[in-house]
């Protein structure tokens, strides 16, 4: 079964950087619809970034200019590079893939939870001010 495992979270001070990784197994991320979400108590789940079948990346306004979504096809891994971190970035970050049902097009941005059917376990990001 397809599996996603996030890593790279941690506790950093404001202004710091983290690179979150999402390693996929039993699934080829090349040409896949994938996204990063984050969730924090008291806030709704936010679609942070996504990448479509052509490799086109999209970012939420909340992280645009500070973050980059990318993928290493050889390693079958999705990344979220986050710089200039703010306390408001504190959340559990999840990667997700729309694996089924297959559609030629990916969900529109911003990504929504219901459009993605396979999720990782999440990685905690804590930013202190």
């Amino acid at each position: 079964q397809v599996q996603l495992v996030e890593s790279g979270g941690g506790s950093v001070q404001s202004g710091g950087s983290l690179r979150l990784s999402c390693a996929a197994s039993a699934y080829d991320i090349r040409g896949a619809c994938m996204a990063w979400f984050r969730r924090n108590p008291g806030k709704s789940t936010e679609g942070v970034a996504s990448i479509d079948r052509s490799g086109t990346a999209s970012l939420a306004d909340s992280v645009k200019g500070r973050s980059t979504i990318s993928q290493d096809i050889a390693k079958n891994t999705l990344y979220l590079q986050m710089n200039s971190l703010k306390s408001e970035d504190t959340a559990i970050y999840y990667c997700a893939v729309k694996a089924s049902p297959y559609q030629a097009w990916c969900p529109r941005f911003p990504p929504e939870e219901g459009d993605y059917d396979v999720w990782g376990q999440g990685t905690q990001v804590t930013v202190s001010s």
Side-chain angles (χ1 to χ4, degrees):
Q1 293 285 343
V2 56
Q3 183 178 16
L4 305 176
V5 179
E6 300 97 333
S7 62
S11 181
V12 299
Q13 294 183 337
S14 296
S17 298
L18 288 171
R19 187 177 74 164
L20 309 184
S21 299
C22 174
S25 61
Y27 191 84
D28 187 358
I29 71 169
R30 183 179 180 87
C33 303
M34 302 192 72
W36 285 97
F37 294 83
R38 65 185 181 185
R39 178 176 59 83
N40 200 34
K43 298 180 180 179
S44 61
T45 299
E46 178 186 15
V48 176
S50 68
I51 189 164
D52 68 12
R53 300 192 188 282
S54 68
T56 299
S58 298
L59 295 168
D61 289 341
S62 57
V63 301
K64 189 176 298 182
R66 302 185 294 119
S67 300
T68 303
I69 184 172
S70 62
Q71 56 190 308
D72 187 328
I73 301 301
K75 296 182 178 180
N76 211 36
T77 299
L78 181 75
Y79 300 99
L80 181 65
Q81 176 70 45
M82 304 186 70
N83 303 318
S84 300
L85 285 163
K86 307 173 181 179
S87 59
E88 60 193 14
D89 293 320
T90 296
I92 301 175
Y93 285 72
Y94 301 87
C95 67
V97 61
K98 177 180 172 55
S100 182
Y102 177 84
Q103 294 178 323
W105 57 91
C106 290
R108 292 182 176 181
F109 197 84
E112 298 182 3
E113 292 178 88
D115 291 327
Y116 293 80
D117 55 292
V118 181
W119 293 68
Q121 83 290 346
T123 185
Q124 176 71 50
V125 171
T126 302
V127 184
S128 60
S129 60

